[in-house]
Amino acid sequence: MPTTVEVMADAFKEAGTPFIVGHPGGESVELMDAARQRDMRFILMKQETAGAILASTWGEITGSPGVCLSTRGPGSTNMVNGAAYAALDRAPLIMITDRYGNPAHEIGLRQRLDQRAVYGPLMKWGTTIDARIIHQQLRRAMRTATAVAPGPVQFDFPHDETTKEAKPLAVPPPLMPNTLQPEPDPLALRPLAQRIAQARKPIILAGLGVLWDRASEEVVRYAEQLGAPVLVTSKCKGVIAEDHPLRAGCIIGGIIERKLVSAADLIITIGLDGIELQPMPWPYNIPVVSIANIPSLDALVPAEVEVVGELKGLLKGLTELSSAGGNWGEKAAATFRQDVIDALNTPSKGLSPQRAMEVARAVLPRDTIATCDAGASRLLIVQKWQSYGPREFLTSNGLGSMGYAVPGALGARLAYPDRPVVAFTGDGGFLMAIAELQTAVRENLPIIVVVLDDQEIGLIRVKQEIKKIPKYGISVGGCDWEKLAQGFGADGVTVDTENGLQDALKVALKTGKTTVVAVRIDGSGYVDQFNALREL
């Protein structure tokens, strides 16, 4: 009869995740060995949060839950930010935290935490592993993590349960549900189609739900049928290819998009999750209809009607019921794109971050996967970098965590082993995850890290300047990025011109090695860009 860890490893592999990632403790070694015996990979991270972010990103891209682990006590608390990422950025993740066996857990003090209580507010579900019910626990965990909206579950793993014989199920249900999604009745959709047909200038706002139902193609076909411009949230860049004439840009919750949206006479939200929006009242008095895969419980968007169901079927049905729309969409989208370009083209004394992004996009192949860190540069990267397919641009939006770009890029490299992967990060965000350069090199997961180096925590400097507070406590400068990269076995180069950046990226593509390209930028335009794009 198989042991608990053997059943767990089999389940992870069957669910489509051929690796476990994290920083183990002594209680993890049996699970790691069970994975080894099944030709599963164990990826040793240098910091637990980075492991959880890597696994979460894999889960977002593939739909299979990522699996990460930590030791008890300090390891589990170090992993909390990764749990927050999975919760707020809607990533399917299984988190395993080592624990004392039950007797020691009841009387011990050292390194003893109520880990389920620590993680509880962030989890969709948490449980303590028990060999007698491990089969049911695994099935519930898999289904809970991947069910819309995806998120994290936690296994607290007592060390005295690892090698016990796992009690079998008499009639085991499938590990993952075999779900049938019938297409909606056209008659049921007709009132919504008729309401939308009354609009002369509809606009589409698309969010995370489109990715959960893999409905990107259906969104594009529906937009084309209506002739509607499309705005997407930052995690949905590429849902409509960014060279499509109806692609307007990204929703950032700023003043710049209000001109475009306010010109519409109907807002159609598709899969929009309230966690993707800025925490402020809905700014539009235009009628809204919502097409979603789950009911809206937060009531942030004042939709006059909400249609809930599987998005592929709903959009297919609506497209078939809709007559060809007008032609306002392409012109409106083009005008908005130009407005964004004009807002970002601020004067610069050196290489500007926006120009660095234009150079990077011109050099790197069309199928490049990009990750983006939080910080001052994120706002312009979201607008300047172009993606052409879903899940080709990866960032932390719901949590907005610094330190995302590098471990996110490693997760992307695992999911896309044959495509270029670039991580865009500021100097502050890169320093939060710099140890994972060693992971990239040692695990043969080559990525290109573009560090936009303005020698400060730029977003805080922007806020200080806008609030007329003197610059204080935000300096980062003095890093020799080339030596840091070389110390980890990666290539490193520092550039401060367009030609230098262009050449460095071409070399990195040619060598196929993990490469740090530090770009000395002039961030003096950030304040004007923020004032033009988004209210602070």
Side-chain angles (χ1 to χ4, degrees):
M1 190 177 295
T3 64
T4 304
V5 292
E6 290 171 336
V7 170
M8 292 173 69
D10 285 337
F12 301 150
K13 192 170 184 179
E14 181 183 340
T17 303
F19 66 89
I20 300 173
V21 63
H23 201 296
E27 295 86 347
S28 307
V29 294
E30 290 90 355
L31 178 58
M32 294 164 63
D33 192 55
R36 177 191 63 81
Q37 292 176 23
R38 286 153 179 78
D39 294 322
M40 295 176 67
R41 193 170 181 177
F42 182 81
I43 300 174
L44 175 64
M45 304 297 287
K46 312 307 169 293
Q47 212 277 347
E48 289 86 353
T49 277
I53 288 175
L54 184 158
S56 296
T57 303
W58 160 274
E60 290 178 282
I61 295 169
T62 66
S64 300
V67 181
C68 64
L69 61 77
S70 76
T71 190
R72 64 176 180 263
S76 65
T77 52
N78 270 344
M79 201 160 59
V80 167
N81 195 57
Y85 173 81
L88 297 183
D89 279 280
R90 312 302 199 211
L93 178 67
I94 293 176
M95 312 185 73
I96 304 168
T97 50
D98 287 352
R99 209 200 74 178
Y100 286 126
N102 288 326
H105 186 74
E106 292 303 319
I107 63 171
L109 296 176
R110 184 178 182 273
Q111 290 191 323
R112 181 195 180 280
L113 296 169
D114 187 343
Q115 293 171 165
R116 287 184 58 184
V118 169
Y119 280 94
L122 298 170
M123 294 295 109
K124 292 183 73 177
W125 182 58
T127 187
T128 301
I129 291 293
D130 188 312
R132 295 167 294 183
I133 55 171
I134 183 60
H135 286 281
Q136 294 101 318
Q137 290 174 309
L138 284 164
R139 280 158 176 77
R140 181 172 175 181
M142 295 289 184
R143 294 167 184 233
T144 301
T146 57
V148 173
V153 300
Q154 181 211 0
F155 285 157
D156 226 20
F157 200 6
H159 73 78
D160 52 6
E161 294 290 328
T162 58
T163 56
K164 286 184 179 179
E165 289 187 350
K167 183 177 180 180
L169 292 174
V171 184
L175 185 66
M176 302 292 284
N178 297 319
T179 305
L180 175 64
Q181 296 281 3
E183 292 191 359
D185 181 357
L187 291 177
L189 290 177
R190 196 176 300 279
L192 176 63
Q194 292 172 343
R195 171 65 185 89
I196 293 172
Q198 296 171 11
R200 294 177 55 251
K201 296 191 294 182
I203 187 170
I204 291 173
L205 309 186
L208 272 170
V210 174
L211 299 173
W212 302 334
D213 281 354
R214 301 185 183 274
S216 299
E217 292 182 6
E218 288 75 15
V219 169
V220 175
R221 284 197 290 268
Y222 188 47
E224 291 170 343
Q225 183 70 8
L226 296 179
V230 180
L231 282 169
V232 301
T233 58
S234 60
K235 289 183 78 78
C236 291
K237 279 172 64 70
V239 159
I240 179 170
E242 295 195 273
D243 54 0
H244 192 291
L246 289 172
R247 191 276 300 185
C250 277
I251 305 166
I252 57 173
I255 57 176
I256 194 164
E257 67 223 31
R258 294 185 187 175
K259 178 181 176 182
L260 168 62
V261 178
S262 297
D265 57 5
L266 179 68
I267 299 171
I268 305 169
T269 66
I270 302 178
L272 189 63
D273 187 330
I275 208 163
E276 303 180 88
L277 303 175
Q278 292 295 315
M280 59 181 66
W282 184 253
Y284 306 110
N285 57 10
I286 302 161
V288 180
V289 297
S290 168
I291 304 168
N293 28 26
I294 53 175
S296 172
L297 303 181
D298 50 58
L300 292 176
V301 179
E304 64 181 46
V305 61
E306 296 180 23
V307 178
V308 178
E310 193 268 334
L311 291 183
K312 291 173 77 74
L314 288 175
L315 293 172
K316 180 182 177 183
L318 287 170
T319 301
E320 292 173 351
L321 289 170
S322 301
S323 56
N327 58 4
W328 95 286
E330 290 190 14
K331 182 178 179 181
T335 299
F336 178 76
R337 292 195 300 268
Q338 189 60 50
D339 288 346
V340 172
I341 290 171
D342 292 343
L344 291 177
N345 283 344
T346 54
S348 174
K349 299 175 183 177
L351 179 57
S352 68
Q354 62 268 24
R355 183 59 190 147
M357 293 308 304
E358 291 171 350
V359 171
R361 180 65 279 188
V363 172
L364 294 170
R366 182 181 176 91
D367 67 345
T368 297
I369 310 300
T371 65
C372 175
D373 227 326
S377 58
R378 181 179 183 273
L379 193 65
L380 64 92
I381 293 172
V382 164
Q383 300 294 350
K384 280 289 187 181
W385 177 263
Q386 292 194 336
S387 298
Y388 303 103
R391 299 292 196 194
E392 293 184 0
F393 181 83
L394 305 159
T395 188
S396 176
N397 183 35
L399 180 62
S401 178
M402 293 175 69
Y404 168 81
V406 172
L410 297 180
R413 165 58 64 194
L414 285 164
Y416 296 112
D418 300 319
R419 297 172 67 174
V421 178
V422 60
F424 292 113
T425 180
D427 39 7
F430 182 46
L431 287 171
M432 290 184 178
I434 195 167
E436 304 311 332
L437 273 185
Q438 198 266 357
T439 307
V441 173
R442 183 175 179 82
E443 296 291 338
N444 192 27
L445 298 171
I447 58 174
I448 301 172
V449 183
V450 175
V451 183
L452 299 175
D453 180 12
D454 56 9
Q455 302 191 28
E456 62 187 8
I457 305 299
L459 183 58
I460 306 307
R461 192 264 299 170
V462 168
K463 292 184 178 182
Q464 287 175 336
E465 188 169 336
I466 289 174
K467 296 178 180 181
K468 303 187 185 308
I469 294 172
K471 177 179 173 179
Y472 180 72
I474 57 170
S475 296
V476 175
C479 297
D480 189 328
W481 304 112
E482 296 180 33
K483 288 182 179 178
L484 278 170
Q486 292 163 6
F488 287 114
D491 288 346
V493 61
T494 301
V495 301
D496 57 10
T497 65
E498 293 182 20
N499 288 339
L501 174 57
Q502 185 180 65
D503 292 343
L505 291 174
K506 287 180 178 178
V507 170
L509 288 171
K510 186 176 181 180
T511 65
K513 294 180 60 178
T514 291
T515 303
V516 175
V517 180
V519 187
R520 304 287 191 189
I521 60 165
D522 171 21
S524 60
Y526 280 146
V527 171
D528 289 340
Q529 290 168 346
F530 270 76
N531 282 331
L533 292 177
R534 184 159 82 188
E535 298 169 322
L536 287 179

